[in-house]
């Protein structure tokens, strides 16, 4: 091993929570696999993910499979699923369930979904590594008063507060409701994944207790967001229930509130490359709890094929 | 005059702020004019307004006219226009200007816009009467943290709190920024104008002081909104700066918040039929102030033609 390689391993490539916000280059590819006609993505899909930092996949699942996921989702939010309170986040100002964490550990069906080749097989190709789940959750944004989720890069938080070393993780959002432009869809800034916005401000202790409701530390400044949006525009990802959105860990994203009567729900899986397992946080005194960041994965997930309904 | 006619004149056709919410039939047409090929709307536009309760008109103004309106809008929000505080509403939790009222009285250019044949001529045809401005305002929804505006029928408030007798008023929103599905556009429930949702709850004194920031009395229940949206769906009206949206006084509308960097701004004119001038409020102890509801119109507006830039 040369000195150069050693230096790289010991240097924080993505310093953040600094006195002043900075734009830094990305040191990692977005697509780690080498595309061939046998890859689980078309050449166009591959190029689009690399360029934009996200990809929308439709018609991966049968209607029976989608129905089974929706029923399981209702059961988990019903209060009858005996989910420990530390895994549940409610809407600000109400008891409505906004998020259920550790989804794969609380539901055999969602565990199976997380390991389905149609999602995990594509992610394994993109990251070119074995996978484990850094985080998994069920999101529910009610109609009438669904709150917004402000712009952020997931990687910025995962690096600063969880100790994820490199940009080698991908999130998959599986829509469980029909989603359109008006009911608070996922908005993304295409191409933003190629820049790391190192954020200003020190991490407060137990930052996650407030940041899950409303993130204030670890978000880009309005100036940075405006500059990104002027350069790249703002897109949104939507579709019928069953649609899958894959996005890079550093793609800036957020969502507007939702006053329409139509709720929005999705299952959310964060796949991290096995070689990219978390270490000590890069910019926080203590790591976030395990429901936000699995620190104890002992083996990579086993991908399964076939209809699960 | 027959007894029947007398009875109609003395009865409140649209009772609201009741102990219990009710759906009542509309007693007024949406289009009062009789369409001929000389009408200022195409037959399709006419039918669409009648059916849906709104209409989006593009390319009415030249780019010079649009630029002039945008410059005037910036001037009015700049703090240099010496606008009396009672005409200005700010965002909840900040000093950012959300609304400037009595727009036609504070700007010669916006007064001219309000009386432009391309807008007011079409509205005069639809209402088949002379017009006056019940209300006029400049709306500004900033980027990053623009707040939502919850679902409501304008007529419900204008009837209850201003004393507008009948559904014979039309609003025109003139977009001053490019607007799309993501930056908090006007959302409407097509066809909702044909039902009057009589709202539950008594009107508190000085209700407008809080309702302009966040309306709580005079809005349909979630159940009513869900039923409307299931029946009719939810649409949005958007377009480039200069686009004009006409909508009936009873069409249910609202807008989501806006975390995108792109602000949204429009000039807003409420045209009431001269024969439909306000009387005493139907469900409030005192009428709202004049900046919300002109009670002193002495003559109808004079419509003007030609380029105003």
């Amino acid at each position: 091993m040369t000195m150069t390689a050693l230096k790289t391993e010991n240097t924080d490539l993505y310093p953040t929570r600094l006195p002043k916000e900075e734009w830094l280059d990305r040191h990692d590819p977005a697509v780690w696999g080498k595309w061939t006609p046998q890859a689980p993505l078309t050449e166009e899909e591959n190029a689009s993910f690399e360029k934009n930092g996200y990809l929308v996949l439709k018609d991966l699942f049968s209607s029976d499979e989608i129905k089974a996921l929706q029923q399981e989702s209702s059961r988990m939010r019903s209060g009858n699923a005996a989910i420990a309170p530390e895994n549940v986040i409610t809407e600000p100002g109400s008891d409505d369930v906004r998020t259920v964490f550790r989804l794969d550990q609380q539901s055999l069906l969602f565990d199976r979904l997380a390991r389905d080749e149609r999602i995990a097989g594509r992610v394994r190709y993109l990251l070119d590594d074995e996978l484990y789940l850094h985080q998994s959750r069920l999101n529910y944004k009610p109609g009438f008063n669904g709150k917004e989720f402000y712009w952020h890069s997931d990687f910025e938080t995962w690096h600063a507060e969880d100790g994820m070393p490199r940009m080698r993780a991908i999130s998959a959002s599986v829509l469980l409701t029909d989603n359109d432009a008006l009911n608070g869809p996922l908005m993304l800034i295409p191409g933003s994944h190629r820049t790391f916005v190192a954020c200003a401000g020190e991490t407060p202790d137990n930052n996650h207790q407030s940041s899950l409701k409303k993130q204030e530390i670890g978000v880009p400044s309005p100036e940075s967001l405006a500059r990104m949006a002027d350069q790249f525009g703002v897109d949104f990802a939507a579709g019928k229930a069953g649609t899958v959105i894959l996005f890079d860990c550093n793609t800036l994203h957020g969502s507007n509130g939702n006053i329409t009567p139509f709720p929005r729900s999705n299952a959310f899986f964060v796949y991290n490359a096995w070689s990219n397992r978390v270490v000590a946080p890069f910019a926080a005194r203590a790591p976030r709890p395990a429901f936000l960041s699995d620190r104890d994965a002992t083996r990579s997930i086993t991908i399964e094929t076939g209809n699960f309904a």
Side-chain angles (χ1 to χ4, degrees), chain A:
Chain A
M1 191 175 273
T2 67
M3 281 306 288
T4 315
L6 256 179
K7 187 164 186 307
T8 306
E9 276 177 25
N10 291 330
T11 304
D12 179 359
L13 290 176
Y14 302 109
T16 186
R17 316 286 166 109
L18 308 173
K20 214 169 127 284
E21 184 183 69
E22 277 183 70
W23 284 28
L24 305 176
D25 287 336
R26 179 183 179 124
H27 296 280
D28 297 302
V31 177
W32 294 70
K34 191 177 156 27
W35 190 85
T36 66
Q38 284 71 49
L41 296 175
T42 68
E43 197 166 6
E44 292 67 35
E45 288 172 335
N46 191 81
S48 174
F49 185 88
E50 187 157 34
K51 179 178 177 225
N52 296 318
Y54 60 92
L55 193 60
V56 179
L57 300 164
K58 309 214 175 200
D59 304 319
L60 297 188
F61 301 104
S62 72
S63 57
D64 282 352
E65 288 176 305
I66 295 165
K67 205 172 295 169
L69 293 171
Q70 289 171 325
Q71 283 167 352
E72 181 71 345
S73 160
S74 299
R75 188 187 68 83
M76 297 196 72
R77 295 195 309 104
S78 68
N80 299 327
I83 298 166
E86 72 265 23
N87 292 329
V88 175
I89 306 288
T90 54
E91 286 278 315
S94 93
D95 283 339
D96 294 339
V97 171
R98 176 171 178 158
T99 311
V100 176
F101 284 98
R102 292 206 255 216
L103 182 56
D104 61 313
Q105 294 177 32
Q106 291 170 37
S107 158
L108 285 173
L109 188 67
F110 280 114
D111 170 64
R112 174 64 180 75
L113 176 66
R115 296 185 294 107
D116 194 280
E117 190 183 36
R118 287 164 286 185
I119 302 175
R122 287 175 165 90
V123 174
R124 181 172 58 182
Y125 156 75
L126 286 167
L127 298 181
D128 193 24
D129 199 351
E130 295 296 301
L131 308 175
Y132 76 100
L133 286 174
H134 176 70
Q135 189 188 104
S136 71
R137 58 184 204 254
L138 185 67
N139 290 315
Y140 185 77
K141 183 185 285 206
F144 303 114
N145 65 351
K147 294 295 178 293
E148 75 277 5
F149 215 104
Y150 198 66
W151 298 104
H152 64 286
S153 148
D154 287 327
F155 178 77
E156 197 279 341
T157 294
W158 298 340
H159 184 68
E161 302 188 27
D162 297 340
M164 184 183 284
R166 304 288 290 254
M167 294 185 187
R168 197 170 185 173
I170 287 175
S171 295
S173 172
V174 183
L175 304 189
L176 300 175
T177 47
D178 295 349
N179 208 193
D180 68 17
L182 300 181
N183 65 331
L186 181 69
M187 299 193 291
L188 310 110
I189 301 187
S192 59
H193 64 304
R194 283 174 279 165
T195 300
F196 181 65
V197 182
C199 294
E202 255 188 273
T203 312
D205 287 343
N206 294 315
N207 185 38
H208 68 277
Q209 287 173 3
S210 56
S211 74
L212 290 176
K213 292 214 175 194
K214 190 170 183 349
Q215 190 162 7
E216 291 184 347
I217 292 289
V219 297
S221 66
E223 295 70 29
S224 272
L225 289 169
R227 204 172 130 202
M228 285 272 183
D230 281 348
Q231 216 170 317
F232 299 121
V234 171
D235 192 13
F236 72 101
K240 296 256 168 225
T243 298
V244 175
I245 304 156
L246 299 182
F247 62 101
D248 179 83
C249 56
N250 190 46
T251 304
L252 287 173
H253 62 285
S255 58
N256 278 324
N258 172 29
I259 69 160
T260 77
F262 311 118
R264 179 173 85 84
S265 176
N266 61 43
F268 199 85
F269 303 111
V270 179
Y271 299 95
N272 194 15
W274 185 250
S275 60
N276 195 37
R277 291 193 306 287
V278 295
V279 295
F282 287 86
R285 267 179 286 271
R288 300 192 301 171
F291 74 90
L292 293 171
S293 164
D294 187 349
R295 314 188 67 81
D296 300 314
T298 51
R299 57 188 175 86
S300 59
I301 62 170
T302 306
I303 295 179
E304 296 201 29
T305 58
N307 188 304
F308 55 73

